[in-house]
């Protein structure tokens, strides 16, 4: 773990404690059990969250780094080869529970594809609500079709909701704000009579949103784009999972360097350049429409932020949690000691006990915001 992380966390903790109402901080060790319903209030970050990595995870991370150093970087692979490599692992879900739709793009943009995931036919009741899902992939790879089908069908079944995954446009073919426009169009469609009918939910059923990695960035950016009165009225809750919220880079990001634990700092910068375009003005990286951490966050729905301590984007979640609270919103932060980027979703920490615990915590969060 990089030295100095606690010096970054300490002022954040003091800042967040001023708005401790609605705040929940949770540390996750190796356990698949969901967190207690009403954990005791904790108003500061705990040093042991960042200084102790379970031995089995430390060994796993070491093996991952050693193996990665034998393979090409993402920049060396290039976009076409990287997509081919990742897309080869896609697995499509049960056609009886997956429906593909096409919806109108935003302001004349091309139509947007999406895949809907439903609870099984064994479910006796109609879906309790709908979950808008924004996939990860560094803005460059990924799809709503096949990348996350198994997990999204699991969430649909466990929580009795419809999951709507957006197949937004990818970079570098489509730079910012194309992906965000597509997610925005999908959100408006889902809340329309047509979208609610397609999702098999009633006019009063709540809408939730989740995004992981690049999808976490898009989820936060979509909320920032909405007028404050519409943020809570459109979404009952949001889950932001190891997202990148400050494209100008946090201190922890800069200190991460070339550690090849899922992604290096330079690989993330490469993703950023693909997303924003090579001619993008670096002086604009802190603009609110580019980095949601720097935006007005008033009127946001309750948020669950989840991140591992062995993730270059650790401080993005720590700082966004503090800003969410300081803006008068409810938030919960879950910190997973030793976990790398992708826990529970992809990569070396997809199937660890912590990864399973992260998925169960997400399902508990969804269920808590459904009728």
């Amino acid at each position: 773990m990089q030295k100095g992380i606690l010096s970054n966390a300490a002022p954040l903790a003091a800042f967040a404690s001023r708005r401790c109402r609605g705040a929940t901080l949770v540390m996750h060790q190796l356990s698949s059990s969901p967190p207690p319903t009403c954990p005791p209030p904790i108003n500061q970050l705990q040093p042991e969250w960042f200084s102790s990595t379970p031995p089995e995870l430390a060994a796993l991370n070491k093996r991952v780094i050693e193996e990665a150093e034998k393979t090409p970087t993402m920049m060396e692979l290039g976009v076409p080869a990287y997509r081919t490599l990742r897309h080869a692992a896609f697995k499509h879900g049960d056609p009886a529970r997956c429906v593909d739709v096409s919806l109108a793009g935003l302001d004349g943009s091309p139509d947007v594809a999406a895949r809907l995931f439903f609870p099984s036919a064994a479910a006796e009741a109609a879906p309790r609500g709908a979950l808008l899902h924004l996939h990860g992939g560094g803005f460059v790879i990924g799809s709503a079709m096949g990348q996350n089908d198994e997990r999204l069908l699991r969430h649909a079944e466990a929580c009795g909701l419809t999951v709507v995954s957006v197949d937004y446009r990818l970079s570098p073919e489509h730079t910012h704000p194309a992906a965000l426009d597509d997610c925005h169009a999908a959100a408006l469609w889902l809340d329309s009579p047509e979208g609610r009918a397609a999702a098999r939910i009633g006019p009063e059923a709540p809408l939730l949103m989740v995004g992981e990695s690049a999808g976490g960035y898009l989820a936060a950016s979509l909320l920032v784009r909405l007028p404050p009165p519409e943020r809570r009225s459109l979404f009952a809750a949001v889950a932001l999972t190891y997202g990148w919220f400050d494209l100008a880079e946090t201190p922890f990001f800069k200190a991460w360097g070339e550690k090849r634990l899922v992604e290096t700092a330079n690989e993330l910068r490469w993703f950023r350049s693909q997303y924003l375009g090579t001619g993008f003005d670096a002086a604009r990286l802190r603009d609110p429409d580019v980095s949601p951490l720097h935006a007005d966050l008033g009127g946001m729905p309750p948020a669950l932020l989840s991140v591992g301590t062995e993730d270059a984007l650790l401080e993005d979640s720590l700082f966004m949690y503090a800003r969410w609270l300081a803006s008068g919103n409810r938030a919960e932060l879950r910190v997973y000691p030793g976990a790398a980027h992708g826990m529970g979703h992809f990569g070396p920490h997809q199937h660890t006990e912590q990864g399973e615990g992260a998925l169960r915590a997400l399902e508990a969060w969804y269920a808590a915001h459904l009728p």
Side-chain angles (χ1 to χ4, degrees), residues 30-48:
L30 285 174
S31 172
S32 59
S33 300
T37 303
C38 298
I42 303 174
N43 297 327
Q44 63 179 10
L45 298 174
Q46 304 299 302
E48 60 268 23

Side-chain angles (χ1 to χ4, degrees), residues 73-84:
T73 66
M74 297 173 191
M75 295 87 77
E76 291 168 339
L77 278 174
V79 173
Y82 185 42
R83 284 178 181 165
T84 299

